[in-house]
Amino acid sequence: MAYIAETDIKKRLTERRINALTSDSGLSYSGNIVADCIAEATAEIHSYLNGTVKLPLTEPVPDIIKIIATDIAIFYLYLRRAEGEVPEHIQKMYDLRKTDLERLRNTDFLLRSEEIRNASDVPNVAIVTKKKRVFDENFYKGY
C-alpha cells in the first residue's frame, strides 16, 4: 500500500520538472516511473518501521508519513537523473526524512498509539514506549 499518490508529488514539483525527471526521451511524462519511486519510498518507510508498528499503516495515514513518503519519492526521482550527484537541497531533505524515520523507529515520537505492534490485540493495556534517557551512565562518570 502506497502512502501517497502521484498528485502529492505534483503539489511539490512543477509539471515541467516531473517531465524532465521521468522522461527518458525528454518529451513525455512517465507515470510508471513516478509509481516506481512512490513504491521505493513506501518500501524504505517499511524497512525503518518494521517491528515497531503494524504494517501497512491504516487509513488515515498520518501526515508525517505522507510528508516523509513524498520527500523520499522526490529524492528517488532526482536520483534517476543525478549523473553523479543529487541537488544539495534534495539530499538534505532526504537525510532529514531518514532521521525522522529513525526517530519513529526508536519511538522518540509516535504515530498513533493503536498502531503500536500488538496494542490492538490486548484490550485495556497501558502502552509503554522506550524513551531516550536524559541522564545515561556516561552523565555521572567522574563523580
Side-chain angles (χ1 to χ4, degrees):
M1 173 190 163
Y3 299 125
I4 59 169
E6 194 173 315
T7 55
D8 294 306
I9 291 176
K10 288 182 177 180
K11 290 176 188 174
R12 300 273 304 280
L13 298 176
T14 65
E15 198 71 34
R16 184 176 178 170
R17 173 66 61 197
I18 293 172
N19 287 345
L21 293 171
T22 62
S23 173
D24 290 332
S25 65
L27 301 174
S28 63
Y29 166 76
S30 174
N32 291 338
I33 291 171
V34 172
D36 289 345
C37 290
I38 290 172
E40 289 177 32
T42 301
E44 187 164 342
I45 290 168
H46 285 180
S47 73
Y48 275 91
L49 299 182
N50 190 28
T52 305
V53 296
K54 290 182 181 181
L55 297 171
L57 298 173
T58 57
E59 291 288 338
V61 175
D63 289 340
I64 188 67
I65 294 297
K66 288 181 181 180
I67 293 167
I68 291 170
T70 303
D71 288 347
I72 292 174
I74 289 171
F75 171 79
Y76 283 125
L77 283 171
Y78 273 91
L79 193 60
R80 287 190 77 245
R81 296 282 181 238
E83 296 177 7
E85 247 181 76
V86 174
E88 184 179 350
H89 70 284
I90 300 295
Q91 183 66 53
K92 284 182 179 180
M93 179 181 65
Y94 175 69
D95 293 341
L96 175 65
R97 297 310 171 208
K98 287 194 321 185
T99 301
D100 289 342
L101 287 170
E102 288 170 4
R103 291 178 60 205
L104 282 168
R105 179 183 59 209
N106 296 330
T107 64
D108 289 344
F109 59 89
L110 300 176
L111 297 172
R112 292 186 299 256
S113 61
E114 68 269 14
E115 290 172 344
I116 296 175
R117 183 168 295 287
N118 299 326
S120 62
D121 299 339
V122 182
N124 302 321
V125 296
I127 299 171
V128 179
T129 61
K130 169 177 81 172
K131 294 287 183 188
K132 191 181 242 184
R133 292 182 63 178
V134 176
F135 302 107
D136 62 8
E137 61 274 357
N138 295 322
F139 182 80
Y140 292 107
K141 278 188 175 176
Y143 286 103

